[in-house]
Amino acid sequence: MLRHASTTLLRQSKNAVNKTSIRALTTTLDRTKTSEDYTRVLQTFAEIRACAVLRTPTSAACPLAMQACIDGGFKIVEFTLTTPDCLDHLSDFRKKYDDGDVMVGCGTIMNVEDAERAVDAGAEFIITPVMLPDVIRWCAERNIVIVPGCQTPTELVAAYRNGAPLQKLFPGVTGGPMWVKAVSSALPMLSINPTSGVDLDNAGDYLRMGAASVGLVAPLFDPVAIQNEDWDQIAKNAEKVMANVKEVGPYVRK
């Protein structure tokens, strides 16, 4: 009788341990971040205010181009899934800058599965080219900062209401900085991140007109410079745009 009771208790104890392990594994696979990490990412965007968005035709060019822009002063970088071996390069740079000096994210995310793979590779934030409510909600539920692509004020507000703390303006709009000023004044709850249309000279103008931050693509990563492997030119581009951005100062988060 006593032996049977001991066996039963031992079995129950093992079951409890197994359930605890399963819960822990599920939490890990759920990819949920802490609220502190969420705040850290947003604060970094507010302080740095410029993100380097890299898209290269070859895998070999990717790490060299990204390192050049970091050497030129960028502290927020985005690898895009349209780049060959994107997630491998993203993972390598996360390990290289595990001290937090450079914040690394992933763009051209088109569905939840893309977001999962990016987070597993080490992405600290997620960027989508269009407004995808299911991806926004998936990220918002897990304290993952997402910056979805939007083209109109209606899409910007929809992204905000679905849980996106920053809203990417893409593609560029007629009026540029003045468009951002008009929309951010009328809809002050938004934190707009223009990407297409931002260049080395007008990045500061966008920020002065109300943009929370900006993204730099081809003007920073000049396709000709990449083709010629002129990494010094990319570093010089980075130095120029970051000088313009720093003149404006940090963003006050909403």
Side-chain angles (χ1 to χ4, degrees):
M1 187 80 173
L2 182 60
R3 182 180 302 169
H4 176 73
S6 298
T7 302
T8 301
L9 287 173
L10 180 60
R11 187 181 301 115
Q12 290 175 342
S13 177
K14 288 182 178 179
N15 288 339
V17 171
N18 288 337
K19 289 178 180 179
T20 300
S21 299
I22 291 172
R23 281 197 298 271
L25 179 61
T26 300
T27 300
T28 301
L29 294 179
D30 191 50
R31 303 170 178 87
T32 299
K33 306 292 185 180
T34 64
S35 58
E36 290 79 10
D37 186 73
Y38 184 81
T39 299
R40 174 189 64 81
V41 173
L42 287 178
Q43 190 59 34
T44 301
F45 268 105
E47 292 174 0
I48 305 301
R49 302 193 75 178
C51 176
V53 183
L54 178 61
R55 185 177 294 109
T56 59
T58 67
S59 175
C62 178
L64 298 171
M66 190 63 91
Q67 188 59 58
C69 95
I70 291 173
D71 292 343
F74 268 82
K75 298 293 185 181
I76 305 176
V77 300
E78 172 193 338
F79 291 87
T80 57
L81 286 181
T82 46
T83 297
D85 302 318
C86 164
L87 296 182
D88 291 334
H89 296 306
L90 187 156
S91 180
D92 289 343
F93 271 73
R94 277 287 282 128
K95 294 171 185 174
K96 185 174 184 178
Y97 293 100
D98 62 355
D99 59 355
D101 186 51
V102 176
M103 189 166 73
V104 181
C106 190
T108 321
I109 300 295
M110 292 301 298
N111 50 53
V112 169
E113 290 72 22
D114 284 347
E116 289 175 338
R117 292 190 299 121
V119 171
D120 289 346
E124 297 175 88
F125 58 90
I126 294 296
I127 310 283
T128 66
V130 292
M131 214 277 288
L132 302 169
D134 59 330
V135 180
I136 296 173
R137 289 192 293 269
W138 184 87
C139 289
E141 290 166 358
R142 290 162 178 77
N143 289 329
I144 298 170
V145 171
I146 178 168
V147 190
C150 306
Q151 171 71 111
T152 66
T154 300
E155 287 189 341
L156 290 165
V157 171
Y160 167 78
R161 288 182 172 176
N162 274 280
L166 296 171
Q167 306 84 37
K168 172 182 173 180
L169 179 60
F170 178 82
V173 294
T174 301
M178 294 307 297
W179 189 97
V180 172
K181 180 180 181 181
V183 173
S184 60
S185 296
L187 301 167
M189 78 290 291
L190 299 178
S191 293
I192 304 174
N193 177 281
T195 302
S196 176
V198 181
D199 59 36
L200 308 184
D201 297 309
N202 68 13
D205 295 333
Y206 273 96
L207 299 178
R208 291 185 184 91
M209 292 298 106
S213 56
V214 293
L216 277 293
V217 195
L220 171 62
F221 296 107
D222 181 4
V224 175
I226 290 178
Q227 183 177 358
N228 295 334
E229 299 184 358
D230 188 353
W231 313 124
D232 287 342
Q233 182 59 55
I234 292 175
K236 290 176 182 177
N237 291 346
E239 290 174 3
K240 182 175 181 178
V241 69
M242 288 310 301
N244 290 334
V245 168
K246 288 177 180 178
E247 286 182 2
V248 184
Y251 176 68
V252 179
R253 287 175 50 208
K254 298 172 183 178

